[in-house]
Amino acid sequence: EYLRRGHTLGSHTYAHPDLAGIPLAEAKADIRKNHELMGKYLKDGVKHFRAPYISMDKDIIEFLINEMHYNVYSAANIGGQDWREWEDAEDTIFVDYEKVRVQ
């Protein structure tokens, strides 16, 4: 239904871990598991990602961009209900990590 209405779906991990707080191998496995699961249902595959808690380190960001080929975003809504009314996104902050130099 969401896709039919023009929404874009992205990955948010499988088990919702704090990616910066777990071993890199575990983070990669979780991300891949969700990617494979979502890929079964999305004809165009998964292209977008936002980390739980907006928590990523350099290694995770590089993995997401270079190996998973995701567009990596960080979005935070002040009211915490960003999923309800995206047409009014004035209080939402977006960061496109592909356009930010990772140091």
Side-chain angles (χ1 to χ4, degrees):
E1 174 62 21
Y2 292 106
L3 294 173
R4 187 185 65 74
R5 294 185 352 197
H7 293 270
T8 300
L9 299 180
S11 181
H12 190 59
T13 71
Y14 183 81
H16 207 262
D18 179 343
L19 295 174
I22 62 175
L24 181 60
E26 187 178 328
K28 287 180 176 183
D30 187 277
I31 291 164
R32 285 186 177 118
K33 182 175 183 176
N34 197 59
H35 179 86
E36 291 171 11
L37 179 64
M38 290 183 72
K40 291 179 183 178
Y41 300 97
L42 300 175
K43 67 178 180 176
D44 294 329
V46 184
K47 299 175 184 169
H48 306 283
F49 184 88
R50 185 181 77 75
Y53 318 106
I54 313 172
S55 177
M56 297 175 283
D57 60 21
K58 177 184 177 221
D59 293 332
I60 292 292
I61 294 169
E62 288 177 349
F63 165 73
L64 293 166
I65 293 170
N66 298 326
E67 293 184 44
M68 299 302 293
H69 308 288
Y70 281 150
N71 296 309
V72 180
Y73 302 96
S74 181
N77 183 281
I78 296 168
Q81 299 295 315
D82 54 345
W83 57 274
R84 290 186 187 265
E85 297 185 33
W86 278 99
E87 62 273 3
D88 183 21
E90 289 180 15
D91 59 349
T92 303
I93 303 164
F94 292 95
V95 176
D96 183 344
Y97 283 98
E98 237 178 304
K99 295 177 180 150
V100 176
R101 185 170 183 269
V102 178
Q103 298 191 20

